[in-house]
Amino acid sequence: MHPPASLDAFDIKILVYLQREGRCSNVELSSAISLSESPCLLRTKRLQDAGVIRGYHADIALEKVGSHVIVFSEVTLSSHRPADFRTFEDGITRYQEIVECHNVSGGYDYLLKIVVPSINWLQALMDRLLEDNIGIEKFASRIVLRQPLRQGGYPLETLVNERPSWADEGR
């Protein structure tokens, strides 16, 4: 885990706004967070240079692109030496269908988010992964039926505050 970047209230405001409005101009951003344009641009550049802002991406509506299936697969490796984890992680980078990979605690080693055009495609992908001999002992897949919640960003204000906003409710 990397130490957190030193962020002040304006940095957080910039990040929160950019998560929502990544295509905004510096003029719009500076106005939205009540900071003049030059310091706003300098702060945004500093956040980019520090790697806090990794990039800007389009939010694609997959349902408008075509038929697709979203799957979460739990993967257990057959061996747990550091080299085995590296072999698996290097091996899955060859598949654009695997859009996220998380090394997790619990009953399995990795949670993969996979996006494919069909169940048949998923089966072929899983067969190829097993044939690649990248250390997979077993996997279990969960097909997403619907997505009732999608935040589209991280709870940045919560992550930097010591008390949750709801902690003062009911006082």
Side-chain angles (χ1 to χ4, degrees), residues 56-77:
Y56 299 87
H57 310 280
D59 183 9
I60 308 296
L62 287 177
E63 67 278 3
K64 295 188 186 246
V65 173
S67 181
H68 67 282
V69 178
I70 298 173
V71 179
F72 288 94
S73 285
E74 303 162 352
V75 176
T76 302
L77 300 184

Side-chain angles (χ1 to χ4, degrees), residues 72 88 92 100-105 108-113:
F72 288 94
F88 173 78
I92 62 169
E100 290 182 23
C101 173
H102 304 272
N103 183 213
V104 297
S105 64
Y108 51 93
D109 299 311
Y110 289 93
L111 180 65
L112 305 179
K113 182 177 181 182

Side-chain angles (χ1 to χ4, degrees), residues 166-171:
W166 45 263
D168 295 323
E169 291 178 10
R171 274 190 175 195

Side-chain angles (χ1 to χ4, degrees), residues 10-33 40 56 156-157:
F10 279 114
D11 292 332
I12 298 302
K13 286 180 181 182
I14 288 170
L15 295 172
V16 167
Y17 195 80
L18 286 177
Q19 276 192 141
R20 251 187 1 262
E21 302 294 334
R23 292 186 64 186
C24 70
S25 68
N26 185 57
V27 172
E28 181 185 336
L29 177 61
S30 65
S31 173
I33 67 164
C40 184
Y56 299 87
L156 298 174
E157 291 155 322

Side-chain angles (χ1 to χ4, degrees), residues 26-168:
N26 185 57
V27 172
E28 181 185 336
L29 177 61
S30 65
S31 173
I33 67 164
S34 302
L35 184 65
S36 61
E37 293 173 26
S38 250
C40 184
L41 185 59
L42 288 171
R43 284 172 175 270
T44 303
K45 177 84 169 107
R46 181 178 51 80
L47 291 166
Q48 291 169 348
D49 291 345
V52 175
I53 298 174
R54 289 189 289 216
Y56 299 87
H57 310 280
D59 183 9
I60 308 296
L62 287 177
E63 67 278 3
K64 295 188 186 246
V65 173
S67 181
H68 67 282
V69 178
I70 298 173
V71 179
F72 288 94
S73 285
E74 303 162 352
V75 176
T76 302
L77 300 184
S78 53
S79 183
H80 293 94
R81 296 175 313 226
D84 299 317
F85 288 98
R86 282 191 302 276
T87 297
F88 173 78
E89 291 169 10
D90 290 344
I92 62 169
T93 62
R94 295 189 296 262
Y95 297 95
Q96 68 177 2
E97 299 94 338
I98 301 172
V99 297
E100 290 182 23
C101 173
H102 304 272
N103 183 213
V104 297
S105 64
Y108 51 93
D109 299 311
Y110 289 93
L111 180 65
L112 305 179
K113 182 177 181 182
I114 300 169
V115 180
V116 291
S118 67
I119 298 298
N120 288 339
W121 193 293
L122 174 67
Q123 183 61 54
L125 173 66
M126 290 304 181
D127 290 344
R128 286 193 326 261
L129 285 167
L130 290 171
E131 290 167 1
D132 277 355
N133 198 26
I134 57 175
I136 298 173
E137 178 180 314
K138 64 180 178 178
F139 60 84
S141 295
R142 313 278 187 254
I143 296 170
V144 174
L145 300 176
R146 61 189 187 90
Q147 186 179 18
L149 175 67
R150 184 172 182 279
Q151 296 286 16
Y154 297 110
L156 298 174
E157 291 155 322
T158 301
L159 296 175
V160 297
N161 290 328
E162 293 190 23
R163 285 178 59 89
S165 59
W166 45 263
D168 295 323

